[in-house]
Amino acid sequence: MLMYAYMDVGGRATQEPKPRINTTHVPPCINTLQTAAETNNRGQQTLYIESKKVTTLSLDRDHQVIIINPDIMPEADEFDFWGHIFLHQDEISIGEFSQGADRHMLRFHYRNCPFELHFEYYGDNLWIAASGAQSELLLENLTDYLSAS
């Protein structure tokens, strides 16, 4: 699957048909297939990136989490960017990001139910946890939804 990334000046990642990243830094966790750059009339450079989403998901029913196995694990300082790109879907709204010494979390909603995307840097672990009983009922649907996109 091809995924397009866009990073606006404020640092919020989104996706759109014509990807634009207003930075010359492309995190190594983004598997880049093709890049192109252009400069506008004010001298600002835009880097276009086309990348391949190489991530597998598995539902762990015993622990009620979705295990995420990316081809390339994001670095700690790239997780917020990676998480915004990974979760940028029509049925998902992204919320608060929190960061600790070796663990980060990005809150989001899927079908109006809260979830958390977790990243543990030292263990190279990525997973999605449900936040409540209603969310737990949607874990399998969320796994299928993210796997299909």
Side-chain angles (χ1 to χ4, degrees):
M1 169 184 179
L2 295 180
M3 176 169 42
Y4 299 106
Y6 168 73
M7 179 65 85
D8 67 19
V9 177
R12 294 181 50 94
T14 61
Q15 289 177 301
E16 54 180 45
K18 285 205 157 194
R20 293 183 183 148
I21 294 187
N22 292 328
T23 179
T24 55
H25 173 70
V26 179
C29 66
I30 304 299
N31 183 5
T32 305
L33 295 177
Q34 179 180 347
T35 61
E38 70 177 33
T39 305
N40 66 16
N41 59 359
R42 294 187 305 248
Q44 296 171 322
Q45 190 173 40
T46 300
L47 180 66
Y48 295 89
I49 294 178
E50 180 182 344
S51 66
K52 185 175 182 182
K53 182 178 175 182
V54 185
T55 300
T56 58
L57 305 175
S58 57
L59 178 60
D60 181 342
R61 287 183 172 81
D62 294 337
H63 298 100
Q64 289 295 300
V65 295
I66 300 169
I67 307 296
I68 304 167
N69 294 304
D71 184 38
I72 300 173
M73 189 66 68
E75 294 293 326
D77 61 347
E78 300 168 347
F79 173 71
D80 187 27
F81 178 75
W82 184 93
H84 276 82
I85 291 173
F86 177 75
L87 292 173
H88 185 80
Q89 306 292 332
D90 291 339
E91 293 188 40
I92 292 178
S93 61
I94 298 176
E96 171 190 17
F97 172 72
S98 59
Q99 179 175 330
D102 69 337
R103 193 163 171 186
H104 307 326
M105 180 181 63
L106 184 59
R107 296 181 192 276
F108 67 96
H109 283 80
Y110 169 69
R111 296 188 181 171
N112 296 317
C113 290
F115 291 88
E116 300 164 345
L117 174 62
H118 292 270
F119 173 63
E120 188 178 61
Y121 177 69
Y122 292 113
D124 280 342
N125 297 310
L126 279 167
W127 71 96
I128 294 174
S131 296
Q134 281 295 104
S135 299
E136 284 182 4
L137 296 174
L138 288 175
L139 273 173
E140 188 167 354
N141 289 348
L142 179 58
T143 304
D144 294 341
Y145 178 71
L146 290 171
S147 294
S149 39

